[in-house]
Every structure is written in C-alpha cells, then in structure tokens.
Amino acid sequence: MKESAIEVRNIETRFGNAVIHKDVSFTIYSGEIYGLLGGSGSGKTTLFRHLLMLTRPSKGSIRVLNQDILNSNEGEANALRRRYGVCFQSGALFTSLTVFQNIAVVLKEYTALSDKLIADIVYAKLQMVGLNSKAATLYPSELSGGMVKRVALARALVMDPKLLFLDEPTSGLDPISAEAFDNLILTIRRLLGLTVVIITHDIDTIFNVLDRMVVLADGRTAAEGTLEDVLRHDHKFIQEFFGSNRALNRLSMRSRHGNQG
Amino acid sequence: MDFIVFQNGPQPTLILKGCWTLSNLSAIEHAFKALRPALPTKGSIFINCMDIEEIDTAAMLFFIQLRREMRLSLKVSVTGVRPEFLRLFRVMLRYCPAGPTHNLLQQPVPDTLYRIGKTAINGFHDLLLFLDLIGRICMNLARSLIHPSTVRIQELAVNLQNVGVQALPIIALSAMLIGIVIAFQSAVQLKNYGANIFIVDMVGISIPRELSPLITAIVVAGRSASAFTAQIGAMRVTDELDAMKTLGFEPYRFIILPRILATVIAMPLLIFFSNVIGIYAGILVSSLQLNISPAQFLERLEEAVSVRHYVIGLIKGPFFALAISSIGCFRGLQVSKNTQSIGRYTTISVVNSIFTVILIDALFSVILTELDL
C-alpha cells in the first residue's frame, strides 16, 4: 500500500450563502504528481488555499503528512509550512528584491548558514530550474513570464520541501516554454522524489505530467484516479473538457502511439 | 548530537552521521569548521557516510563542497555510500556551482559621490519630464478652452467632490484652530499695551493673506496630491492607462485635466471658506478674551483692513492648486510596475507639493512686498 501524503475527506466550504464545495474527498500518495482539475468557479483554488492553510473549510478533515491541519496549533502549522514549497500563478516574486535575494531571503531567515553556503545553494537551485547565474542579479520586472515561473519554482524548492504546490504553472506561457516547464516538473520530481500538487487546465500538462488527478464539478468529486480512470466517467464536465478539439487530438495521438508500441 | 566525528590514526576518517538536512546544516557547517584544524594537511583521508540517516539537497551541496575542498590537498576516499546518497550526490554534482559564488544578499552601498551624482542627474531628468508634462497639460488646457465641450464634466464633478467638498471638515477644523491660536497669542501681547482693538488688524490681515491659503494648500496637498499619485500610479500598474490610450481615450483629457481643473476651481473656494472660519475663530476669542463684541470687531475689520489682503490670499489659490495637482499627477505617471513604487511616489508627491506651496508663497511675499502691496 502506498503511503498517503494528503488525505482530504468530505470537505464542505461555504462563504455566506455561496456553497463552494459540498462533498469533496481525495487522496494524494507520496511521490506522485497530482492534478486538481475543474472548470472556472469549481473551487480548485479554494481547495488549494485550504491545503496551504490560508483558508479553512466549513466541514471535513484534511490530513497532510499525517498531520490534521484543521486542528493544529500555530507552531505545528508553521513547522508543516516549512515542508511546503508553493508557486503561485503569477509567480508572486518580491518585486523589490533581485532573483538572488528572492531565493536567499528564505534561507537567511530560517537558517544560520554562512554566506558562501547560501550562495552555493541559491546558484544550485537556479541551475536546477534551468536558469544561469546571469539571471541572479535581475529584478522580477526584468524577467520574462517563463523565467518568473522558474524563479518562483526555485524559491519554492529552496527549503527542500516534501510537498510542492503549483497553481497553474504553465498558464501564460507559450507552448514551448510550457512544455519545457512540464519537463522541468517531471525532472524535479524524478530527482528529488517530491509529492507535487498542481492546479491546471492545460491539456498538455494533464496528459504529460500528471500521475493521478481529481476532477471537481458541482462542488463534488466528479472523478478521481489516473487519466484512463477519469476518462471512463461520463460526467458532463469531463465529457466537455476532454471532448474539446485539443484533447481529442491528444487522445488520438495517444491511442496511435499505444497501437504502435 | 555530533554530525561529524574525526578519528585520527593510521587511517584518518571523518564519520558523518545523523540527519543531514537544511535545519541542521548550520550546526554541521560549524562542526566542520571546528574540526578543520585537526584534519591532516597531506596524505589521505576517508569519509564514512554509513550513518547518515537522511540527506537533502542543501546538505549534499555542502558535502560536495567539503569533499572538493579537501581534495585540493588530500586523497579523499568516500566509504559507506548508500544508493539514495549516491543518487542525490550525482544529481547535485550536476547543479553544484563550479567556481566561487558571491552572496548578493547585501547590496554594496554606493559611495557618497556616486549618490550625489545620481541624485543630481535624476533630479534634472525629473525636471525635464515635469516640463514635458506641463507642456502637455497646457496644450490640453488650451484645447479645452477652445472647445469647452471636450471637458469631461462628469470626471470634473467627481474630482470637485473629492478635492473640494470632502476637504471641508478638515479645513474647517484646521482654520478654526489656527484662528484661535493667532488670536490668543496676540490677545496676550495686545492686552499689555492696552491695544485690544488691534487684534482685528492682526487676525484680519494674517488669516486671509497668509495663514489660510497656506493651511488650505497644505491640507489639499496632503489629501489630494497623494490621492492623485496613488490613483494614477495604480492605473499605471494595472495597464489601465495604456488600455485607455489604445481605446482612443487620451489620459490627459480623461484623467489629468479633470483633476487639475477641479483643484484649480476648488482651491480659492476652500481658501474663502477657511478665511470665514479663521476670522470667526478670531471673533470668538476677542469677545471672550478681550471683551470686543462681534459687532465692534466687524466694524473695525471693515475700516482697518484693506480688501487687497483678502484678494491676494485668494489669488494665491490657483497657483497653489496648479502646483499641487500637477505634481500629484506627475508623480503618479512615474510609478513603475513594482509594489513599493506607489508608496514611494505618493510620499515624494506630498513632500514635493508642500515644499512647492511654501516656495510659491515665499515668492508671492517677496514680489508683493517689492510692489508695496
């Protein structure tokens, strides 16, 4: 039996009268790349924020790395947060700091390492996300969209997290950068054995990167499992989403590939 | 807990053990530094990694650097390597910076001469940009005068409400307090000379001519220059201004001109309002403190104080207003796409506009005195 990293059970979320989640449950196992899928307004982002301990559901339970995050005190929550690496959709880099400082500031705050070792770690992480050392002195406003996402990933990885959370990592990137970033996520998972949670609705990411996924619709878990499992469901949203031209192309490519191999 | 133990002997060995993770890394780093002098300087050394329970990327980087450093003078053999350790070692060896790295966390402080030069050049650059803005404002103003229908009445009204009407309470309070202070201070002195009635000259000249325009301008600078900068700055950050341009809405006509016109219209009105309140405060203090009845006060005000003081005060209004609003808009347009930029420019805009108001007031003072007014 695989070890579970995150267990979400019977989550219900309401803001005033608006019900976001009625009953959402899923399990993320250690070492897998897991996708949170769903249409706009399906509550992906709210769920993501629950997992990050930024918001709380009204009912239900969430266990992360065997810790009940809804009933933990501030100290426990902070200890858990230090095992998280988070990349926000827009990168959320600190605009007044250079790339180097954006990454080093976390190490400076939480460790008493020597300046040289901090610099070594920062440059290694930059290398790891495919940036060269010239980028270190640039400010976020001087970076391209793809570079911002890479720096955000480097910052998320700097504390050697157990869990990596990515909010739409490929949105706003051109197809080539998006594919490169998808490959980067796969590489990093392979190298470091992280558990990765991704919000996405990029068909390419879903087909290339995710091991398993949950599809949210109407405030409930519409489907959970591998891509094959999900595709077998006949929920309206799943049929529409995977019935789009791009998805159909991918599916036919995939089956052709399968026949050949 | 020891992370590094050194065993000297025929086979000098460094034994690494425990959790080699980021949270322990500074302890590990210090332990190694303490052991450094005890290590042999030549020959060979063994590193035993058998007892490392866990190792992460940061600690692995440290291990690689440590091994690299010792290999400069020693023959290093690593023993007791587990498969996970070897895998991470290979991964991190690829990403480990080869040459010396520089910590860029602390930025070098530029020397004084450099800073002076930079400030001077920036100031000059700002001046040119400001002149450019003034030119554009004048052009748009001229166009509005020729075609009054192009003035955006709705924006103008909203800005008049924000700059003028909503400033009334704070201006009333400030003017009242300034009137009371002036009247009280003079009352004490004038009583000594038995020249009680001259309090009317005192209050009647100083308030409308100097104090009330200045106080009003400072309040407006604090309220509106900052608001203009923040509003226009936020529009720049969100690309709203560029969006307007592409839709054919000229930002000068839609954003800047209504603000400037509103301030120019509102300022003399606010100064008038503040005159009334300030003189009322003077009347109040005189009747309570010096037994001068309000009727006496007003009679004396009419015969002793020439109307020109009052007119001079009002004339200053539009000049102050132009300075405040154009500086507010100018700094707003300078905001860059950076979270701290809005705050910085808002501060600069308030400081600049208050200073400019005082400068203009001083110029008025000198010129009018030379003209014997």
Side-chain angles (χ1 to χ4, degrees), chain B residues 54-363:
Chain B
E54 195 188 345
I55 186 159
D56 64 9
T57 59
M60 184 54 85
L61 271 176
F62 178 70
F63 174 80
I64 291 169
Q65 296 287 22
L66 171 153
R67 176 170 163 271
R68 194 176 279 171
E69 192 188 326
M70 289 201 296
R71 274 171 74 159
L72 292 177
S73 55
L74 296 164
K75 189 173 170 297
V76 182
S77 324
V78 181
T79 59
V81 175
R82 296 172 190 225
E84 323 77 90
F85 185 93
L86 189 63
R87 207 176 67 93
L88 193 63
F89 176 77
R90 288 201 174 125
V91 169
M92 292 317 290
L93 199 57
R94 192 173 349 146
Y95 298 123
C96 182
T101 51
H102 302 287
N103 190 306
L104 304 168
L105 202 56
Q106 267 88 37
Q107 278 174 328
V109 180
D111 60 66
T112 319
L113 211 55
Y114 173 84
R115 282 213 305 270
I116 293 172
K118 197 173 162 140
T119 312
I121 288 179
N122 283 349
F124 182 67
H125 201 68
D126 276 5
L127 185 71
L128 290 184
L129 284 173
F130 187 65
L131 289 178
D132 176 77
L133 177 90
I134 296 289
R136 285 168 198 275
I137 290 172
C138 289
M139 266 166 54
N140 280 280
L141 204 60
R143 193 186 304 158
S144 306
L145 288 178
I146 298 166
H147 307 287
S149 59
T150 60
V151 175
R152 305 289 300 177
I153 298 297
Q154 204 177 344
E155 275 80 12
L156 185 63
V158 170
N159 282 299
L160 266 176
Q161 163 86 14
N162 290 338
V163 176
V165 180
Q166 288 182 1
L168 287 177
I170 181 71
I171 285 179
L173 194 64
S174 315
M176 185 83 186
L177 292 174
I178 287 291
I180 288 173
V181 168
I182 290 297
F184 253 115
Q185 293 302 320
S186 355
V188 176
Q189 302 302 324
L190 292 171
K191 234 180 192 170
N192 291 339
Y193 295 100
N196 288 4
I197 194 69
F198 283 103
I199 194 167
V200 181
D201 303 52
M202 188 76 206
V203 171
I205 294 175
S206 67
I207 294 272
R209 185 172 170 138
E210 286 296 333
L211 291 171
S212 136
L214 206 55
I215 289 301
T216 311
I218 287 172
V219 170
V220 171
R223 284 184 81 256
S224 300
S226 55
F228 293 168
T229 306
Q231 288 161 356
I232 295 174
M235 287 181 193
R236 262 190 70 88
V237 170
T238 56
D239 285 335
E240 241 176 276
L241 289 181
D242 291 340
M244 289 180 70
K245 278 183 201 159
T246 60
L247 292 169
F249 301 143
E250 178 56 42
Y252 282 91
R253 190 155 74 83
F254 282 79
I255 303 290
I256 293 177
L257 215 51
R259 286 180 165 71
I260 288 178
L261 282 179
T263 321
V264 170
I265 294 170
M267 188 68 94
L269 299 174
L270 288 174
I271 291 174
F272 171 76
F273 174 71
S274 138
N275 285 343
V276 174
I277 303 281
I279 289 173
Y280 173 72
I283 294 176
L284 213 63
V285 172
S286 329
S287 67
L288 292 174
Q289 210 53 22
L290 301 171
N291 293 322
I292 297 172
S293 74
Q296 258 178 307
F297 189 104
L298 290 176
E299 200 181 326
R300 171 74 190 165
L301 189 66
E302 206 180 339
E303 66 191 36
V305 180
S306 148
V307 78
R308 74 163 196 275
H309 299 302
Y310 167 79
V311 173
I312 286 171
L314 288 188
I315 285 177
K316 287 177 184 175
F319 290 90
F320 290 167
L322 267 178
I324 292 167
S325 55
S326 55
I327 288 172
C329 294
F330 170 63
R331 293 301 183 187
L333 290 172
Q334 280 189 309
V335 167
S336 56
K337 283 202 168 185
N338 174 322
T339 41
Q340 292 185 343
S341 191
I342 293 186
R344 215 181 92 223
Y345 280 108
T346 307
T347 314
I348 295 179
S349 118
V350 173
V351 173
N352 283 172
S353 49
I354 290 179
F355 171 75
T356 313
V357 161
I358 294 173
L359 184 74
I360 293 176
D361 194 54
L363 283 178

Side-chain angles (χ1 to χ4, degrees), chain A residues 95-96 100-101 104 108 112-115 119-121 123-125 127-128 139 158-160 190-192, chain B residues 22 25-26 29 54 56-58 61-62 65 87-88 91-92 95 97 101-105 107 338-340:
Chain A
T95 49
S96 56
F100 182 94
Q101 291 167 335
K108 193 79 189 163
L113 299 178
S114 67
D115 285 356
D120 282 349
I121 295 174
Y123 282 109
K125 301 281 154 153
Q127 285 270 317
M128 206 182 260
Y139 282 90
V158 76
M159 291 297 286
D160 270 300
R190 186 166 50 79
L191 296 180
L192 307 177
Chain B
L22 188 57
L25 194 53
S26 68
E29 205 185 2
E54 195 188 345
D56 64 9
T57 59
L61 271 176
F62 178 70
Q65 296 287 22
R87 207 176 67 93
L88 193 63
V91 169
M92 292 317 290
Y95 298 123
T101 51
H102 302 287
N103 190 306
L104 304 168
L105 202 56
Q107 278 174 328
N338 174 322
T339 41
Q340 292 185 343

